[in-house]
Each structure stands twice: as C-alpha cells, then as structure tokens.
Amino acid sequence: MSRAAFFIFFTLLVAFVEETIYRGLIFKTLLQKSAGAAVVTSSILFSITHLLNALSGQDITDTIMQLIYALLLGAVLALLMLKNGNIVPLILFHFIHNLIQFLGNDLEDTGTLPYDLFILAVLIAYCAWLVWSIRTNSSIPSKGSEQANTVVH
C-alpha cells in the first residue's frame, strides 16, 4: 500500500469512528436530554481524547492548543449535526480536514501562532453563527419530541 493510500484510508477510518462515537452515539443519546447537553458534552469528550497526544511526547503548548481547537471543532460539528441531522457530511468534512492536517504536517514550520489564532477565531465565530442560526430556526427538535429521536440518520 502506498503512503498516499495509507493516509487516505487511515484518515477516513478515523473520521468515521470519531464521528460515529461523538456525533452519532454520544450526541444522539444526550440529545434526548437536551440539545445543549448533547453539544457541550460531545464536544468536551472529543477534545479530551486529543489529550492522548501529550502522552506520545507532543509539546504541552501544542497539546493545549490542540485541545482548544478540538473543543471548538467538536462544537461546530455537533451544532451542524443539530442543525442538519445528517452525520455523513460530518464524516466527509472530518476526513478531508484530517487528511489536510496530516499532509500539512510535512510542510509545517515553526511560528504558526498567528495562523492558529486566526483558525480559532474563525471557529468561535462559526460556533456563534450556528447557535444563532439554530435558535432562530424553529424546525430544530425539542426535548422529548418524536423528531428528536430521528435526528441521526
């Protein structure tokens, strides 16, 4: 298997597994309690799993930045799941995102803090827009509704 094929397979597998666990199982289960609990808890748990990178020798500063990034990315993905109710686009987005990250690691140099802060600001703005969009859209299922049980397809 070529290196490119390995990266494609690996990133697709990771995206499928992580989205199935965090936006499929955890999010769907918690959505029965409340949308807020589903978004917050699935995002925090998604972020915490990235703490394992510190165990592999990753610099603590990089790990903290990755935790914040994963928390915000998890929130965006959970809010998109809440808004659209379809996990397939999230898996595809996660796959493409991870593939770009892996390929970008070969090209990365030091001194990317301004870029990292820009990405974090974009994620924060996107989270805020999604929250506003969801709150102004009355089609989002409420706790206990029959529609809430069919959000994950």
Side-chain angles (χ1 to χ4, degrees):
M1 180 184 293
S2 72
R3 183 175 180 205
F6 170 77
F7 278 131
I8 290 169
F9 174 76
F10 181 74
T11 54
L12 184 58
L13 179 64
V14 168
F16 177 79
V17 169
E18 287 185 347
E19 290 309 311
T20 300
I21 291 170
Y22 294 103
R23 263 60 70 183
L25 298 173
I26 293 171
F27 180 87
K28 182 179 178 182
T29 301
L30 293 172
L31 188 59
Q32 295 171 6
K33 179 175 174 127
S34 80
V39 170
V40 171
T41 305
S42 65
S43 300
I44 290 171
L45 292 173
F46 178 69
S47 177
I48 288 172
T49 59
H50 292 84
L51 188 59
L52 295 173
N53 291 331
L55 299 176
S56 68
Q58 179 173 284
D59 178 65
I60 192 67
T61 305
D62 290 340
T63 301
I64 290 169
M65 184 64 87
Q66 187 175 22
L67 289 173
I68 295 167
Y69 180 77
L71 178 68
L72 291 170
L73 185 61
V76 165
L77 292 169
L79 289 165
L80 285 170
M81 184 67 178
L82 182 63
K83 183 173 174 62
N84 299 319
N86 189 344
I87 199 168
V88 174
L90 303 181
I91 293 169
L92 294 175
F93 171 82
H94 199 144
F95 160 64
I96 292 167
H97 176 268
N98 283 354
L99 187 62
I100 291 168
Q101 290 290 108
F102 277 125
L103 296 176
N105 283 343
D106 292 340
L107 306 173
E108 189 173 307
D109 55 42
T110 59
T112 61
L113 186 60
Y115 175 75
D116 292 339
L117 293 176
F118 172 74
I119 295 299
L120 291 176
V122 168
L123 286 172
I124 290 168
Y126 195 40
C127 281
W129 179 83
L130 283 167
V131 168
W132 175 83
S133 174
I134 289 168
R135 287 189 176 186
T136 59
N137 182 352
S138 61
S139 69
I140 298 299
S142 61
K143 177 183 167 186
S145 73
E146 186 176 318
Q147 206 176 11
N149 295 325
T150 61
V151 168
V152 179
H153 300 283

